[in-house]
Amino acid sequence: MHQPDIHQPDMHQPGAPQPGAPQEWPPPASGPEEPPEAGQARADALDEAWNSLPSGVGAVAYRPVPPPPPAPEPFALPEPVPETAPVPHAPVPESAPVLAPAPVPAAEGAPAGEPTPPGVAAEAVRAPVAVPLLGPPRHSGPKPPLYAPHPGTLPSVRDDLDGAVVADIVVDGATHGALTVRAASIRGDSHRYEGGPRQDALCVTRLGGPDPTNGLLLLTVADGVGSAARSHIGSHEVSRSVALFLDRYAEQLAESLRAREEPTFSALVNSAVGSAAEGLARSVAERGGHPADHATTLRGLLVPLDPQVRHRGFFAVGDGGGALLREGVWTVDVFGEGQGGSGVIDTGTEALPGSRFARSLIYGPALPGDLLVLCTDGLSTPLAGDPGMRDFLAGAWGSAEVPGPVDFLWQLQYRVKSYDDDRTAVCLWEGPEE
């Protein structure tokens, strides 16, 4: 690469600086003094020659040196703490007494002499509250039945999903004006022991729109036939289907009860029962099942919400019960079905979907203080046959105060030997006229 010629002084020429000799800076000028313009032109020529050099070849690129960092400020030492004389300790006696911690006062109501547990504030410790327990259900006779009076073995999801998800116990209720409802369905002792599902079903619902003069309570119980393997499905499906059908005709049903027109009422409830039976048979067939395996009874009560209407509509397919408790006296066959007085278990009965017609009637007038009971034969049969059960339930349900749902469930579980079927009841308390 071409380097520009830069004149270097000849060390052998006269006047040239000699090695080792002291140098004067700037060197003295030789020859005549040149004008300033000539010196400036020569300096510009040197600058131009320097700038023409390639970067990094024979030259070092200029980088400005950063200024040095500012010197840190001197560290201020804290002022020395003045020395003080040591504080003399109090003399300790040779045999100083050891003080025990003060006892925590016992909480109010706590047993005397028992210390407060460590880590628990004294005010947080309380004596156990005495909670009354209902205990096992009452029973007829000197000894209870052999079956345990509580939920037992559960059905398996793997064996029968539909049966496994049916609850062992169901409790329900409602209050509309002077009407109060309590309802419960309990898996029978034999089903609990064998691990079978509860086959009974119940329904407590409201039909109609917001106008109470045309609204109705629908109360139903359904008893899946024990010999039908899928009757627990049939009882629940029929209860839903009947409610859905009757809701579409709530206004006509309310008017038929207000006017006590039994033909109109009978036609409407029979249409509902027939539709439910047909729908159950069709859905079972579509699933590849047998309708007879889903056999179930059904009975219902339609109660107007209008307090001026004191008549109630009743319908039923198959066995079961309808009872009245009035002024402490039981009528165990209030609807005149001819099946509530013997207390004998009947294994043969009409059932949906094979039977598609219901017995129906308009009952009334209901009086203030009346108790109407709609139930499956798990209650109707022992109620008719055991005086001890009648007396117990008359005392529990015959007072002016309606039992709460938990008390009602406990009372309904009154036990009688040899009656181990599912038990379902819907009870309607008639309040005073408004």
Side-chain angles (χ1 to χ4, degrees):
M1 182 178 294
H2 174 71
Q3 297 285 345
D5 293 334
I6 299 176
H7 178 73
Q8 298 292 336
D10 188 355
M11 296 300 179
H12 300 285
Q13 293 180 2
Q18 298 299 316
Q23 303 295 320
E24 181 181 356
W25 189 264
S30 59
E33 186 176 348
E34 61 181 1
E37 293 83 3
Q40 183 64 40
R42 186 169 58 254
D44 291 341
L46 287 174
D47 289 340
E48 183 179 356
W50 176 262
N51 291 333
S52 65
L53 292 174
S55 176
V57 180
V60 178
Y62 170 76
R63 287 189 178 92
V65 178
E73 295 190 9
F75 177 77
L77 296 175
E79 295 184 3
V81 179
E83 294 184 0
T84 58
V87 178
H89 292 283
V92 180
E94 296 182 359
S95 59
V98 179
L99 300 179
V104 180
E108 182 181 354
E114 294 188 7
T116 303
V120 179
E123 59 272 12
V125 179
R126 294 289 183 267
V129 178
V131 178
L133 299 177
L134 295 174
R138 299 290 179 84
H139 59 85
S140 182
K143 293 183 179 181
L146 296 177
Y147 291 116
H150 51 70
T153 304
L154 291 173
S156 170
V157 169
R158 185 168 300 180
D159 296 334
D160 178 11
L161 172 61
D162 296 309
V165 298
V166 175
D168 182 274
I169 295 173
V170 173
V171 182
D172 205 350
T175 301
H176 282 269
L179 304 172
T180 304
V181 179
R182 296 288 182 263
S185 183
I186 306 157
R187 187 164 61 135
D189 290 341
S190 59
H191 286 157
R192 286 174 169 177
Y193 179 77
E194 297 166 356
R198 176 173 53 86
Q199 296 174 321
D200 281 7
L202 64 79
C203 177
V204 176
T205 192
R206 185 183 186 278
L207 306 181
D211 185 0
T213 61
N214 291 323
L216 297 162
L217 288 180
L218 172 63
L219 316 175
T220 67
V221 296
D223 182 1
V225 175
S227 58
R230 311 289 285 171
S231 63
H232 52 283
I233 301 174
S235 61
H236 286 85
E237 287 195 12
V238 163
S239 300
R240 290 170 54 88
S241 298
V242 167
L244 181 62
F245 186 98
L246 292 177
D247 181 64
R248 297 198 294 264
Y249 299 93
E251 289 75 14
Q252 294 92 319
L253 286 165
E255 183 57 35
S256 67
L257 293 174
R258 182 179 291 109
R260 283 175 267 174
E261 296 178 353
E262 279 201 4
T264 302
F265 175 79
S266 179
L268 290 171
V269 297
N270 269 295
S271 297
V273 168
S275 175
E278 183 179 350
L280 176 61
R282 181 173 59 253
S283 65
V284 171
E286 290 173 354
R287 296 193 296 262
H290 300 286
D293 291 340
H294 297 69
T296 180
T297 68
L298 176 70
R299 53 189 45 229
L301 198 65
L302 285 160
V303 185
L305 296 179
D306 185 351
Q308 302 303 317
V309 181
R310 308 294 297 186
H311 284 75
R312 284 73 178 101
F314 168 77
F315 63 94
V317 178
D319 60 15
L324 169 69
L325 180 63
R326 176 178 288 174
E327 297 180 352
V329 179
W330 281 107
T331 302
V332 295
D333 186 17
V334 67
F335 301 125
E337 299 178 271
Q339 59 182 14
S342 66
V344 177
I345 300 174
D346 183 8
T347 57
T349 183
E350 296 180 340
L352 291 86
S355 298
R356 304 192 177 190
F357 295 96
R359 300 184 307 277
S360 61
L361 59 88
I362 295 179
Y363 167 82
L367 303 180
D370 280 357
L371 168 66
L372 278 172
V373 180
L374 198 68
C375 57
T376 60
D377 58 4
L379 176 63
S380 65
T381 306
L383 183 65
D386 188 81
M389 172 177 268
R390 291 196 298 272
D391 292 343
F392 175 80
L393 292 181
W397 297 347
S399 64
E401 183 178 357
V402 177
V406 174
D407 290 326
F408 175 79
L409 172 64
W410 182 80
Q411 295 157 2
L412 181 61
Q413 294 180 84
Y414 185 91
R415 311 185 73 204
V416 181
K417 284 187 177 181
S418 302
Y419 298 97
D420 56 6
D421 196 7
D422 296 348
R423 182 177 295 178
T424 301
V426 180
C427 296
L428 172 68
W429 275 266
E430 302 274 359
E433 295 182 3
E434 296 180 350

